[in-house]
Amino acid sequence: MTFDNNERSGANNAFFSDFRPCYEAVPPLSEGFAVSAYLLPLSAPLLLFGASIFGFAHKERRSTLVSILGECAAFCALLVAIASLGFLVLHGPGGSGLWVWSGIGLSTRLDVVSAAMLLLVSFVGWIVVRYTRTYLDGEARQGYFVGWLCAALAAVLLLVQAGNLVQLVAAWIATSLALHRLLLFYPERPGAQRAARKKKLFSTIGATALILAAALIGTSFGTTDIATINTLARTSGGNGPVIMAAAMLALAALLKSAQFPTHGWLTEVMEAPTPVSALLHAGVINAGGFLLIRFADVMLAAPGVLAVLAIVGGFSALFGALVMLTQPAVKTSLAWSTVAQMGFMMLQCGLALFPLALLHIVAHSLYKAHAFLASGGTVERVAAMRRPGPVAVPDGLAVGRAFLIAIAIYAGSGASFGVAFGFDHKSPQALVLGAILIFGVAYLLAQGLADAAPRALTRRTAAYAGAAAVGYFALQTAAEWLTAGVLPSPPAPGRLEWTLMVLAVLSFGLVAVAQALFPLWTMHPAAVGARIHLSNGLYINALIDRLLGGWDVRKAS
């Protein structure tokens, strides 16, 4: 179901004067049942908001009941997400609203994007709340923490299902406010204050950019209904206000996803409790990518903005990955990994590969939530392990063979997949992205092809390489099939897009080769110096701290 389906002609007047709720029935359901069914996802955040209010009422207590109620609300939200997916499969995408006038009010847009995000957020949220019940058992301010945790989850759930601009902006801001309180759960810690201060600054700038984008979009298309906006953008193309709106959306997304050079706060949130890190890195940080995916048709109207996204995202991915390898602490390494992963997702959006970006969000969130929640136990197990023997270091010849074999596996898998599934229509952007991913496979192959590597390792890495190549094509095809009609396909690349793709392949390829050969240069003075500089993030975060040094820390609270 959709609402406020205004035509673009005379739309500016309708934007301010149409105050009547508009519903379009979805056969064969009755109108009343259809409205109620499509409103089902809204019950998930309402349950969590109720649990958060109860937590705030007991914020200074060690209340087991608060944790139990929060866990029950999160689990019920997961059940609602599953039921919403079932309704989507049976009756198709649609939307509805509750007291919606001119797009102002609570509304939901149920399609494959929102259903995937609802399932992801509710599942990760339930795991995090369940973990919190044990992690904060006996904490003096347990109710306060659970209250803000449930509020943050509720805000994210409202965001991912938002059917109108007003709700999306309000949920975006509410998510930042709730996360800010969680980051300052231990306000006496200087590290928490510093991270929250920078996060507040960048969140404020991002929220301002999103508000400007919403105003430009609303006045340009004459409606606040997101589905209608994407439809109009798909048919009408871009003009000055729409391109400016796309630029503001990109700015908001980059700031939300902690992209270079505003990434510093994300690597400093380790002072907050572990559940906050898991929720942030597996959930909230993905809001930037979701914003771009939700307004994919608007973004396609601004190729120059997409190019900037690809450049910033690609550089952030390489930068974050290199710094991650130099970090001695597991959680700090995971934080830099998130910077790199969000950069790669921005690169995907910049190449207009929105279905793959959605797939990336799901995969990264599940992996990163598990990584943070299991990091403590993993460190203990590694510390108890016996020291490994000599490591097989590949030489230049092994690295060269590994890259050639990886490219051959990728080409062979793509050709075989194309014969079986009609894969010859794949966009150049998707093929280039697969080539970038296969460089990681080449790194693994290089370890197996080293002279000192056992034969079992060689066979295992070769099998992994083939599985990764086939898995890429299979998941890509599945994502495109599931999002067909909801997310646009990438357009034919022009000169700018080809230039960016060639630069991306060369950059990621050179970094992969350097990473594989780095053990051979470990003791070289230049390598030692580079490692020191990279371990400090090239001092970008220190420079930001100095620039913000005059901002009173108390303003972050």
Side-chain angles (χ1 to χ4, degrees), residues 2 33 79 109 163 182 198 213 237 241 243 281 295 330 346 480 529:
T2 59
F33 178 75
L79 295 180
R109 178 68 190 170
L182 290 172
K198 285 185 285 191
I243 294 174
H281 290 264
F295 291 98
V330 60
M346 290 295 157
E480 291 177 346

Side-chain angles (χ1 to χ4, degrees), residues 514-538:
Q515 181 182 352
L517 294 176
F518 187 79
L520 300 175
W521 310 332
T522 302
M523 303 309 296
H524 192 280
V528 174
R531 187 178 184 88
I532 293 174
H533 297 317
L534 284 173
S535 66
N536 289 281
L538 301 183

Side-chain angles (χ1 to χ4, degrees), residues 410-424 426 469-478:
Y410 176 69
S413 300
S416 302
F417 213 87
V419 171
F421 298 97
F423 205 57
D424 53 345
K426 284 301 163 192
V470 173
Y472 169 74
F473 287 114
L475 291 174
Q476 179 190 7
T477 301

Side-chain angles (χ1 to χ4, degrees), residues 226-437:
I226 296 175
T228 306
I229 289 167
N230 279 318
T231 300
L232 293 174
R234 191 178 307 145
T235 57
S236 62
N239 52 36
V242 173
I243 294 174
M244 180 59 67
M248 292 296 101
L249 289 173
L251 177 60
L254 290 171
L255 291 173
K256 194 75 167 183
S257 298
Q259 294 298 277
F260 182 92
T262 66
H263 57 275
W265 66 269
L266 185 62
T267 63
E268 295 179 344
V269 297
M270 301 304 112
E271 297 289 346
T274 296
V276 179
S277 299
L279 176 66
L280 170 61
H281 290 264
V284 177
I285 198 70
N286 295 308
F290 167 78
L291 181 69
L292 298 175
I293 294 169
R294 180 49 88 195
F295 291 98
D297 292 289
V298 176
M299 299 306 300
L300 285 180
V305 175
L306 290 179
V308 173
L309 278 174
I311 294 171
V312 176
F315 181 82
S316 297
L318 292 172
F319 175 70
L322 289 173
V323 177
M324 176 196 71
L325 297 174
T326 65
Q327 300 302 307
V330 60
K331 286 188 177 181
T332 305
S333 179
L334 288 173
W336 280 103
S337 169
T338 300
V339 174
Q341 293 291 339
M342 292 300 101
F344 201 74
M345 184 180 62
M346 290 295 157
L347 173 63
Q348 291 170 325
C349 292
L351 295 177
L353 296 170
F354 297 105
L356 282 179
L358 179 63
L359 177 65
H360 192 131
I361 287 177
V362 175
H364 173 259
S365 295
L366 295 176
Y367 145 70
K368 195 55 63 74
H370 175 268
F372 267 103
L373 295 179
S375 58
T378 301
V379 171
E380 293 177 357
R381 288 192 297 271
V382 171
M385 290 174 59
R386 303 173 70 179
R387 192 175 294 275
V391 178
V393 178
D395 56 14
L397 184 59
V399 171
R401 291 201 308 268
F403 272 79
L404 290 176
I405 293 173
I407 293 173
I409 291 175
Y410 176 69
S413 300
S416 302
F417 213 87
V419 171
F421 298 97
F423 205 57
D424 53 345
H425 67 284
K426 284 301 163 192
S427 65
Q429 294 95 317
L431 296 177
V432 165
L433 185 69
I436 292 174
L437 292 175

Side-chain angles (χ1 to χ4, degrees), residues 141 144 179-187 192-193 196 272 556-557:
R141 299 164 68 226
Y144 177 90
L179 179 62
H180 183 76
R181 293 298 177 183
L182 290 172
L183 293 179
L184 283 173
F185 183 67
Y186 297 121
Q193 294 174 347
S557 62

